[in-house]
Amino acid sequence: MIREGTLLTKEPGLHTIFQGEEHNYVRCVIADKTDPDRHFECRVLDETDIPIAIGEPIKLEVLKVVTERQSGVVRFDCHLIKAP
């Protein structure tokens, strides 16, 4: 699955355990490309920072969708799709 939109926030330099291994990641919130009122929380794995500024378009490949039961928040674990 691909998620595209506009980068609203980013928090670089974070660390997590994903599928049993430690990974760097950047926490991001993006506004959906087709419906900008819909916002998505994403973790861009294997990046310490991303070369995209707030307000610029971003394209992500979704690896896993996680729903936190208590809060009902849906988060996407992703990889950044880099332009050729």
Side-chain angles (χ1 to χ4, degrees):
M1 177 181 0
I2 303 295
R3 285 281 176 207
E4 291 185 76
T6 302
L7 183 63
L8 299 177
T9 66
K10 70 176 179 176
E11 186 179 346
L14 303 172
H15 304 280
T16 190
I17 302 295
F18 180 77
Q19 297 181 342
E21 296 181 10
E22 186 171 341
H23 294 265
N24 294 321
Y25 76 97
V26 179
R27 180 181 295 134
C28 297
V29 175
I30 64 171
D32 188 60
K33 181 178 180 179
T34 56
D35 182 3
D37 291 331
R38 290 179 55 202
H39 296 176
F40 302 102
E41 182 178 327
C42 303
R43 295 192 309 182
V44 182
L45 298 170
D46 303 323
E47 303 283 346
T48 53
D49 198 359
I50 55 175
I52 298 170
I54 303 300
E56 291 185 339
I58 186 169
K59 188 173 184 179
L60 302 169
E61 175 188 13
V62 176
L63 304 172
K64 184 176 180 184
V65 180
V66 178
T67 302
E68 296 177 9
R69 290 183 180 174
Q70 291 181 335
S71 66
V73 172
V74 177
R75 183 185 71 236
F76 297 91
D77 289 331
C78 307
H79 278 148
L80 181 63
I81 297 176
K82 298 176 181 172

